[in-house]
Amino acid sequence: MDAIPLSRGDLRWVFPEVRDPEPVLDALSEADAHVREMARHLGRPGGRAAGGLEYRRTEGIVAAGIFAAAEAEGVGFTADLCFPRRCLWDLRGGPPWEVEAEVLVVCDRAPDCGGHTLAEWAETFTAPLEAAAGLVEASAWLLARARAAPPASWRSRDDARCREPAP
């Protein structure tokens, strides 16, 4: 998978019919600043594109979304704005667009478990500017959670949802 920084991508990958891209890009720049601040706070570069928001491309196809991630000590703070597609080759676009944010912890108990969601935020939007504003809200929500508690505190909240597999 390739990561493409927000500044080097094309907004129309996510919003193919956006009429006025400037307000949408302004909102996404604000969300990008939140993600970069969160990564700095955690002491780690965020995402695959050196922090901030990114587009993702797999096998030459760009996902219909904008993504963010910052991780530290087995805790991930992730956000995405996307049009849900059935598969990689489904090239339809929105609306609607979904915006989701999560605080996840790595599972140390079961090798097949990808991790546990400890906090989440999600909304659906029908207009590009609303979706971008939703990503601003979601990224601010994540930044507040990252500032409110250190990663070790988040890890301690994991209530053993997975059990060791039976021998």
Side-chain angles (χ1 to χ4, degrees):
M1 177 179 356
D2 298 323
I4 303 163
L6 180 67
S7 63
R8 287 201 236 138
D10 184 344
L11 186 64
R12 286 179 172 70
W13 291 337
V14 181
F15 304 112
E17 297 179 17
V18 68
R19 289 191 173 107
D20 186 5
E22 288 307 311
V24 176
L25 287 170
D26 288 346
L28 293 175
S29 293
E30 185 177 349
D32 185 66
H34 289 153
V35 172
R36 289 177 185 280
E37 175 58 30
M38 182 173 52
R40 274 191 299 277
H41 175 77
L42 294 170
R44 305 282 174 118
R48 293 174 176 85
L53 298 179
E54 61 193 31
Y55 300 97
R56 294 183 182 162
R57 178 176 46 218
T58 303
E59 297 182 25
I61 297 173
V62 176
I66 300 168
F67 306 90
E71 301 171 2
E73 301 173 38
V75 180
F77 297 84
T78 65
D80 59 73
L81 178 165
C82 64
F83 173 74
R85 290 178 170 172
R86 294 183 304 253
C87 68
L88 182 62
W89 298 272
D90 176 4
L91 300 180
R92 294 175 302 135
W97 293 275
E98 296 176 355
V99 176
E100 297 178 342
E102 295 180 319
V103 179
L104 307 134
V105 295
V106 173
C107 180
D108 296 326
R109 293 174 199 86
D112 294 336
C113 178
H116 309 137
T117 300
L118 298 183
E120 58 189 327
W121 183 101
E123 284 195 39
T124 300
F125 300 93
T126 58
L129 185 55
E130 291 171 357
L135 189 58
V136 171
E137 187 177 346
S139 61
W141 179 86
L142 279 176
L143 176 57
R145 266 120 204 99
R147 286 178 173 163
S153 174
W154 284 101
R155 299 237 352 126
S156 71
R157 297 176 198 184
D158 188 8
D159 62 1
R161 294 169 202 198
C162 289
R163 302 284 183 234
E164 286 293 330

